[in-house]
Amino acid sequence: MRKRSVFTRRLTGPSALVLITLLTILGTYASVSAQSPAALPQATHLDLRVTAALLTQAATAGAQAPAGQAAAAPQTRRLTIEEAVKLALENNLGIQIARYNPRVQDLSVAEARAAWVPAFTNSFQTNSQDSPNNNFLAGSLGGKTSNAAFSNSIGVQQSTPWGGNYSASWDGSRSTTNSSFTTFSPQVRSGLSFSVAQPLLRNFSIDSMRQQVAVSIKNREISDVELRQTVATTMRTVRNAYWNLAYATASLAVQRQSLELAQESLRNTRSRVEIGTTPPIDIVEAESEVATREEAVILAEASIETAEDNLRALVFDPSAPDFWTMTIEAVDVPSFQPIAVDTDAAVRTALERRTDLLRSTKSLEVNDVQIRYLRNQTMPDLSAQFDYGLSGLGGLNLVRGPGPFGPGSGEVIDTIGRSFGSVLTDLFANRYPQWTASLNVSYPIGASQQEASLARARIEYGQAQTQLKNQQLQVATQVREASRQVQTNQKRVETTRAARSFADRRLEAEQRKFAAGTSTSFIVFQAQRDLALARNNELRAILDYAQSVVDLETVQEVPLAGGTATTAAR
């Protein structure tokens, strides 16, 4: 050993690590070969794995040694269960997707309300027309009649939330002509008009626009309920994933303890074989048991990685650079803290708060809006309308004398100008008013389409009410089942804890009997396996209890996807 140490110190870098690895494996191989030929294949298999791992580390160190850089160790993130829940609220993609729905529905409500937004209208128009004179009544000289005009219209119109509509407009125009029959040239006109229409029966209390607004508001409320359901369901999934990681970590510790017991038994068996108190064949059995429990350790390690991936996908930001390389360590462990379960109170809470019941209730309210609208559509269509208008005229008034067609058809003998101000004075002085009032009635003869639609909507409403009652029964059944699972898992923890204590005491007894020569290694290994199974059963029962408590809390808020924890475990 002293010579090997001196020789080792003279070597530096990866060469020393590779040489030490080879010498160690050769020495172990020779030792196992001398003890038991039956152990040679198993030892060779294990040594080759160790050799490959060490040589890989040596090659990596040799590649990085010249640069003087060491590989960075993976980052470990220690998480409590409440921290995991908080991170999920911030980073979970499912929650982020669900948060878009209320915003989309807000825009749907705004889109429906936009039907009541007033509209401003404004138009400008100019035109010119020259036409040939085809009779003596054309009234113009030069063989053609020329007309030119410019007009402008400004107004506002709006549909009201009471089913009616109104419009108001102001018009102005200026026109010129060379016709001798005109009285004003150029001529200036202005008009002010107002119109209002209001249904009195059909479309009075509710119409299609108000129906769409009411339905969009209910859909907005449903989106809030769905968001709350997504959050609650995700929180349950996060908590269960966290407890699964904690259970996988604890199960790995149990499997390693079982492996250590098997390795200790292997060492004791080899010592007994060396002194001749045990046949060499017992070494084969001990090595087989060690290999079996090594496999269990490997599977437990893989379960941890799977649980880590499930949890990281729920709580961390996928765009983080260390998303896949970060190691998650669960700080909290599943603990057994019995709680008092009030099943009746839980059922009452669920009937008040369950998101699926709230969503069904909101859907019934949407159906009620539809029924109110269809009932209103079966009424007679009675509407009132009122139109009122004012007008004014101005420009250059051509005063004509007597002519062949009577007074005012002769030559122009004078001109009188009326300004645009005079036209506006005519308007606001209400000198030339005109109005129209109308009452319109329409009613179908015989059964209408609206009556058939109303009858169908009422049947669908009754069906939805029955479905809601059935849903309430299912909710009560689910809550009672979740409550029963909590109580059952509480009893399971107590029984598995007692079974684990008995298995521990049995292993101690078998080890003492084996040391005294009154037992066999097979029985000892069987007791070790029973102890490992009992420990895993206790861990599983504690985990199921913790998850069933989460399920009982969640089932009062949202329906459980995938069943309860105990059902999933089976």
Side-chain angles (χ1 to χ4, degrees):
M1 292 296 295
R2 181 176 303 173
K3 292 182 180 180
R4 179 180 296 179
S5 301
V6 173
F7 181 71
T8 303
R9 284 196 299 267
R10 292 179 181 176
L11 296 176
T12 59
S15 301
L17 183 57
V18 174
L19 184 57
I20 292 172
T21 301
L22 293 176
L23 291 176
T24 303
I25 298 306
L26 290 176
T28 305
Y29 181 82
S31 175
V32 175
S33 300
Q35 290 179 2
S36 174
L40 181 58
Q42 177 68 20
T44 303
H45 176 68
L46 295 176
D47 292 340
L48 288 177
R49 289 193 304 170
V50 175
T51 302
L54 292 176
L55 288 177
T56 301
Q57 294 177 2
T60 304
Q64 296 179 350
Q69 298 178 354
Q75 181 183 1
T76 300
R77 179 68 180 270
R78 292 171 55 86
L79 279 181
T80 64
I81 189 169
E82 297 304 325
E83 290 175 345
V85 170
K86 182 179 179 180
L87 287 173
L89 290 174
E90 299 174 355
N91 301 320
N92 185 266
L93 295 180
I95 294 179
Q96 293 181 17
I97 293 172
R99 283 174 177 160
Y100 281 98
N101 292 332
R103 297 164 58 184
V104 172
Q105 294 302 326
D106 284 337
L107 295 177
S108 297
V109 174
E111 182 180 2
R113 291 183 182 276
W116 298 329
V117 174
F120 172 78
T121 61
N122 189 12
S123 65
F124 296 90
Q125 182 178 353
T126 180
N127 62 76
S128 177
Q129 180 181 4
D130 292 336
S131 58
N133 296 333
N134 55 5
N135 55 62
F136 70 95
L137 296 177
S140 60
L141 302 176
K144 67 177 181 178
T145 302
S146 298
N147 296 298
F150 172 81
S151 62
N152 170 238
S153 177
I154 299 176
V156 61
Q157 58 186 8
Q158 180 184 10
S159 297
T160 65
W162 306 281
N165 61 82
Y166 73 88
S167 63
S169 64
W170 176 80
D171 303 324
S173 64
R174 182 182 184 279
S175 61
T176 59
T177 181
N178 63 350
S179 174
S180 59
F181 296 117
T182 186
T183 306
F184 285 83
S185 182
Q187 177 178 277
V188 178
R189 285 183 177 273
S190 182
L192 185 63
S193 62
F194 178 78
S195 176
V196 59
Q198 176 63 48
L200 302 179
L201 292 177
R202 183 187 297 179
N203 296 325
F204 178 74
S205 60
I206 185 173
D207 59 355
S208 60
M209 290 186 294
R210 278 174 285 181
Q211 179 205 15
Q212 293 177 7
V213 171
V215 170
S216 62
I217 291 176
K218 294 301 178 182
N219 290 334
R220 173 62 173 83
E221 296 173 356
I222 292 175
S223 67
D224 285 336
V225 173
E226 292 175 345
L227 175 59
R228 185 160 68 88
Q229 177 173 330
T230 301
V231 171
T233 302
T234 304
M235 294 305 97
R236 180 224 181 192
T237 306
V238 170
R239 292 180 185 274
N240 288 340
Y242 185 92
W243 291 134
N244 286 333
L245 176 59
Y247 166 77
T249 304
S251 179
L252 175 61
V254 170
Q255 299 300 335
R256 286 176 175 172
Q257 290 176 359
S258 179
L259 176 60
E260 291 174 358
L261 290 175
Q263 291 173 341
E264 182 180 0
S265 298
L266 176 59
R267 289 191 295 268
N268 294 335
T269 301
R270 285 175 177 172
S271 299
R272 292 177 178 275
V273 170
E274 290 177 357
I275 63 178
T277 59
T278 300
I281 192 62
D282 288 351
I283 294 181
V284 177
E285 182 181 357
E287 290 177 341
S288 175
E289 193 67 25
V290 169
T292 300
R293 298 184 189 181
E294 283 181 344
E295 179 188 9
V297 170
I298 294 173
L299 293 177
E301 291 174 346
S303 298
I304 291 179
E305 294 179 357
T306 300
E308 282 184 342
D309 286 347
N310 293 335
L311 184 58
R312 83 171 76 246
L314 292 169
V315 303
F316 291 121
D317 184 5
S319 61
D322 58 347
F323 178 76
W324 293 111
T325 59
M326 178 174 47
T327 302
I328 305 175
E329 181 179 345
V331 177
D332 297 330
V333 295
S335 60
F336 178 60
Q337 297 177 353
I339 61 173
V341 179
D342 189 346
T343 303
D344 294 335
V347 170
R348 289 193 298 269
T349 301
L351 293 178
E352 295 175 358
R353 298 180 57 85
R354 273 282 290 257
T355 55
D356 51 342
L357 296 181
L358 293 176
R359 186 169 59 249
S360 298
T361 303
K362 297 296 181 183
S363 298
L364 277 176
E365 294 175 359
V366 171
N367 292 341
D368 184 66
V369 172
Q370 180 72 7
I371 289 176
R372 288 195 297 113
Y373 171 70
L374 292 176
R375 186 189 302 117
N376 179 266
Q377 294 301 301
T378 60
M379 302 178 70
D381 186 6
L382 176 63
S383 62
Q385 184 169 350
F386 179 74
D387 300 307
Y388 190 83
L390 298 170
S391 62
L393 180 63
L396 184 61
N397 186 5
L398 304 178
V399 180
R400 300 179 181 273
F405 300 101
S409 61
E411 296 293 333
V412 176
I413 60 177
D414 194 8
T415 58
I416 302 174
R418 298 196 77 233
S419 66
F420 188 68
S422 300
V423 176
L424 295 180
T425 301
D426 292 343
L427 288 180
F428 293 110
N430 197 19
R431 290 178 180 173
Y432 308 105
Q434 60 178 1
W435 59 271
T436 303
S438 61
L439 189 65
N440 305 311
V441 181
S442 174
Y443 189 77
I445 301 176
S448 64
Q449 179 182 0
Q450 290 78 8
E451 291 176 345
S453 300
L454 176 61
R456 184 183 65 181
R458 284 173 172 170
I459 294 176
E460 292 175 349
Y461 186 80
Q463 182 185 27
Q465 285 182 319
T466 305
Q467 290 176 347
L468 178 60
K469 293 179 181 179
N470 181 52
Q471 202 170 7
Q472 290 172 343
L473 177 61
Q474 294 178 359
V475 167
T477 303
Q478 293 174 4
V479 174
R480 293 177 61 85
E481 173 65 18
S483 175
R484 191 178 302 112
Q485 291 296 342
V486 172
Q487 299 172 3
T488 301
N489 290 330
Q490 181 175 341
K491 296 176 182 179
R492 283 180 55 207
V493 172
E494 296 171 353
T495 56
T496 55
R497 179 167 293 176
R500 187 262 305 158
S501 178
F502 293 146
D504 198 359
R505 291 163 56 186
R506 176 172 175 263
L507 176 59
E508 293 178 359
E510 292 297 336
Q511 287 177 337
R512 287 195 299 269
K513 290 169 62 178
F514 181 74
T518 58
S519 182
T520 63
S521 59
F522 175 79
I523 298 178
V524 173
F525 290 142
Q526 184 64 43
Q528 291 176 356
R529 287 193 293 266
D530 292 343
L531 177 59
L533 179 61
R535 287 174 175 172
N536 269 331
N537 288 340
E538 181 184 6
L539 288 174
R540 184 76 250 180
I542 294 175
L543 173 67
D544 288 344
Y545 176 76
Q547 291 183 337
S548 63
V549 172
V550 173
D551 289 344
L552 179 59
E553 296 174 353
T554 306
V555 78
Q556 300 177 54
E557 298 283 340
V558 297
L560 298 182
T564 60
T566 304
T567 304
R570 292 177 183 173

